[in-house]
Each structure stands twice: as structure tokens, then as C-alpha cells.
Amino acid sequence: RPILDMSYSRHFLDFQGSSIPSSMKKLVVTKLSQNFREAVALRQDSPVPLPGDGDLLVRNRFVGINASDINYSAGRYDASVKPPFDIGFEGVGDVVALGLSASADYTVGQAVAYVKAGSFAEYTVVPAKQAIPLPSVKPEFLTLMVSGATAYISLKELGELSEGKKVLVTAAAGGTGQFAVQLAKKAKCHVIGTCSSDEKGGFLKSIGCDRTINYKTENVESLLRKDYPEGVDVVYESVGGKMFDLALNSLATKGCLIVIGFIAGYQNPAGLQPIKAELLPAKLLKKSASIRGFFLNHYLSEYKMALKHLLEMYEKGDLVCEVDFGDMSPEGKFTGLESVFRAVDYMYMGKNIGKIVVELPHSVNSKL
């Protein structure tokens, strides 16, 4: 098998025999700001990184957009990290070079996915231990890496789903929402999804959502009170602000609200939108209810198992992995790193159905 040992060599070729360039494009956070366009710059001539002994060099073909990209570029996750730093959390691509130790498990030309900071680049070095081998390079696999795993692990560990439970998913047609809906349905729950358009409502019905609520045209709170007077057992919440308050008020006795994000506050200069939390202790006590936060990084011990199960479900046709390439956006499909900025805007305008993915086309010298 063709192994390119990168441990000792500074010049290397990719598996099609076309030279890997010495420089590449990548996105870099140059200043901390919740305005993604202000925070991030496109560098045209960054050196292509060299993989070490246990590393893979991955040529990125598809990269995923996450709501937390803005939190990261605003410096909200780790105050000790100072600009400039790389951005982008997940990618799918081909191994084009690798270190000697890494060659024990991987070969040049293999399709892999990964979750690691620095995916908004044409090439990313990924430790072989962190890579996920894939049967092929498909954007659908990218939907599972962060979004699918977040929904799977949070509902499994915190949701205590069982047949007949009523589950409310906010932003249900989004990247993680689509999986929360499907996984709750697989647990034989009754699933209610909020969304912002009739088109999204149609998508949600197609993946099994029992009840859809268009919050732009319908009053979510009064509808829930009328149709679910006993409340809902589990809320999968990623919006924050008013939606959080509404979800909290809709909980049933012994209900659980799982917070996986609060996108309404991410672009705010102040960050979080205030919630009406003064009554929180009384509200929780009155219903014996709970609120649980979920951050994927704290559940990495569950990650490989979750991903394996999700990949099997997708391969068997048991899971819809909806990808949104922005074909319906004003300037068309998200292609190339420069379109990451548009893709982030598109997400914050709430336009996407499914996971937003940007395709990185190959440069002219590639024979792929």
C-alpha cells in the first residue's frame, strides 16, 4: 500500500501524484469579536502544515458550520487563547500524507472525518487517534460528527427517553434538531418541533415529527398549553432567550429541560439574552423539574460509541442526514473557504434546513 512517511521528509506527494502545494488558504481569528466577519480573516498563503509521526494530513473536502463558531471567534470558550488562532471544528476529506506511526492504521487516499479546531483550511493535520475512518467522502457523514453526536449523547445520557414521553425540540429543523427529532421518534416518543417556516415544517413531518409549530405565525406558548395541558416531559433546547422561558413554563411534572445552546445570544455584544430566572427555583420545585446543560467536550468518553451507532444507522437507511449547501441562499451554494462567512450569516438568519456544509473544491493541479 502506498505509505508516505512524513516523519523525516519535508517534500511529499499526494496519492494521485500531484504535488501538495507548499501554501494554502485558511481562516484565522485575528481579533476577538462576536461579529464573525470582523473576527475572522481569510489568509491566502499559509504554509501547508506537516504531519508528525502519529498524524494524518487531510485535504478537506467538506467542512461543517456550527453555531458555536461565533462563540469560539468571540473568545467565549477559552479566555487564555489569544489571536491569531485557527477556526472551524469539523471536516471530512482524504488523507494525502501521513507519519510513520499513523501508517499502521491509515493509508494515503483514505476517507476520514474529524472533530478538531482548524478545519476551515484547505489542509488540516489530524492526529490519527482522533480521525474517524469513513467508507467514502460524503457530506452526510459530517452532519453526524458534532450535530448528530450532540443529539445522541445528550438524549441518551440526560433525556431518559421512553415510549409515550412528550419531547419538545426547539430549532427542530436545524443541524442538531433534525437528529433530536429522529432519535426521540426511535424511542417511541411523541415529538413536537418548533421551526420558522412552513417549508421547515414539511421537512420535520417527513422525518417523523408528530406536531410542528411555526413560531413566526403561531403562538407557541398558547398552543402548547392548549394541546399539552399536562406539559412536555423533555425539552431539547438550543435557542435561549424567550424560547428558554417558554420551554421552562411548558415542562411537565418531573420534566427535564436539556440546554445544548442559546443561539439567540451568540451574536449579541453582551452575549446572553437575559431570561426570567428569578422564579426559577420556585418553578423547578413546583414541578420537581430539572434543567441540565450539555457540552459535547464533557462526554468524549461516549463519543466513539455514539458515532459508530449513528454511522450504522445512516448506512442502513435508518437516519436522514439533511445537508444544506446554501443552494437557496441569495449568492448560491457555499463553495470555497470565502463562503464560510455567508454560511455563518445564513445560519444566524435561521434559513437552513439541516446541517450547513461548505464544499471545498480541489485546486486546479489536483487530478481528483
Side-chain angles (χ1 to χ4, degrees):
R1 57 184 183 169
I3 295 170
L4 298 183
D5 170 19
M6 280 308 306
S7 322
Y8 311 106
S9 152
R10 291 197 66 80
H11 176 72
F12 51 104
L13 298 174
D14 78 348
F15 68 103
Q16 294 293 335
S18 63
S19 191
I20 293 171
S22 56
S23 65
M24 65 170 185
K25 291 182 188 173
K26 75 171 178 177
L27 294 186
V28 178
V29 177
T30 54
K31 70 175 231 184
L32 300 181
S33 168
Q34 71 286 337
N35 180 327
F36 191 82
R37 288 177 183 269
E38 275 181 21
V40 180
L42 175 63
R43 296 262 164 92
Q44 299 281 355
D45 54 355
S46 295
V48 171
L50 290 173
D53 180 57
D55 296 334
L56 312 173
L57 182 67
V58 178
R59 178 197 281 146
N60 293 314
R61 299 269 297 278
F62 300 101
V63 294
I65 304 294
N66 292 285
S68 42
D69 290 328
I70 278 189
N71 281 342
Y72 196 59
S73 60
R76 288 186 183 137
Y77 284 153
D78 185 351
S80 67
V81 180
K82 300 285 182 264
F85 55 85
D86 296 347
I87 189 167
F89 290 128
E90 53 185 344
V92 166
D94 314 287
V95 175
V96 291
L98 69 173
L100 193 56
S101 299
S103 69
D105 298 306
Y106 288 91
T107 58
V108 165
Q110 193 160 356
V112 293
Y114 64 89
V115 176
K116 177 184 177 282
S119 70
F120 292 165
E122 290 178 316
Y123 295 85
T124 302
V125 167
V126 179
K129 286 186 176 132
Q130 290 177 24
I132 307 285
L134 297 175
S136 61
V137 174
K138 280 168 80 172
E140 285 78 9
F141 292 126
L142 198 53
T143 67
L144 302 174
M145 300 301 294
V146 170
S147 301
T150 294
Y152 183 97
I153 301 171
S154 63
L155 289 173
K156 178 174 174 285
E157 296 291 317
L158 311 179
E160 296 177 3
L161 300 185
S162 58
E163 186 169 353
K165 278 198 174 179
K166 293 185 272 298
V167 179
L168 171 65
V169 181
T170 63
T176 69
Q178 64 170 329
F179 294 111
V181 168
Q182 292 178 80
L183 294 167
K185 277 310 291 177
K186 288 191 188 311
K188 301 185 173 163
C189 297
H190 176 92
V191 183
I192 309 131
T194 69
C195 60
S196 60
S197 72
D198 292 341
E199 189 193 357
K200 290 183 180 187
F203 165 67
L204 288 173
K205 289 201 171 87
S206 78
I207 59 171
C209 203
D210 296 289
R211 178 67 198 269
T212 62
I213 304 175
N214 179 346
Y215 66 82
K216 293 271 176 82
T217 58
E218 299 176 279
N219 184 314
V220 183
E221 193 151 22
S222 61
L223 269 174
L224 288 172
R225 202 178 295 124
K226 178 168 77 69
D227 293 348
Y228 304 95
E230 302 289 305
V232 296
D233 302 297
V234 179
V235 182
Y236 182 89
E237 215 297 273
S238 61
V239 177
K242 288 177 183 160
M243 188 62 87
F244 175 91
D245 288 325
L246 187 156
L248 178 66
N249 293 338
S250 305
L251 277 179
T253 302
K254 295 186 183 174
C256 176
L257 191 157
I258 302 170
V259 178
I260 64 122
F262 35 92
I263 193 170
Y266 291 178
Q267 279 190 312
N268 248 9
L272 276 171
Q273 287 189 350
I275 54 167
K276 295 174 183 159
E278 316 85 67
L279 299 172
L280 189 60
K283 283 180 180 177
L284 294 178
L285 178 68
K286 187 178 159 192
K287 294 177 174 176
S288 292
S290 64
I291 298 176
R292 301 287 301 269
F294 179 87
F295 188 44
L296 186 59
N297 289 11
H298 298 147
Y299 287 85
L300 293 181
S301 58
E302 306 291 313
Y303 184 76
K304 288 230 164 164
M305 174 278 302
L307 208 59
K308 182 170 177 281
H309 195 186
L310 288 164
L311 283 165
E312 283 168 4
M313 287 165 75
Y314 172 67
E315 293 279 271
K316 277 197 224 147
D318 289 343
L319 199 62
V320 172
C321 297
E322 188 70 18
V323 172
D324 192 332
F325 277 121
D327 293 305
M328 306 309 289
S329 66
E331 292 169 61
K333 186 175 175 177
F334 303 133
T335 305
L337 286 170
E338 46 286 344
S339 70
V340 166
F341 299 97
R342 280 200 301 121
V344 169
D345 289 344
Y346 180 76
M347 175 172 51
Y348 278 91
M349 288 187 289
K351 300 290 189 196
N352 57 301
I353 295 181
K355 174 86 181 182
I356 302 177
V357 173
V358 173
E359 182 171 7
L360 305 187
H362 286 317
S363 56
V364 184
N365 72 342
S366 167
K367 295 178 187 171
L368 271 182

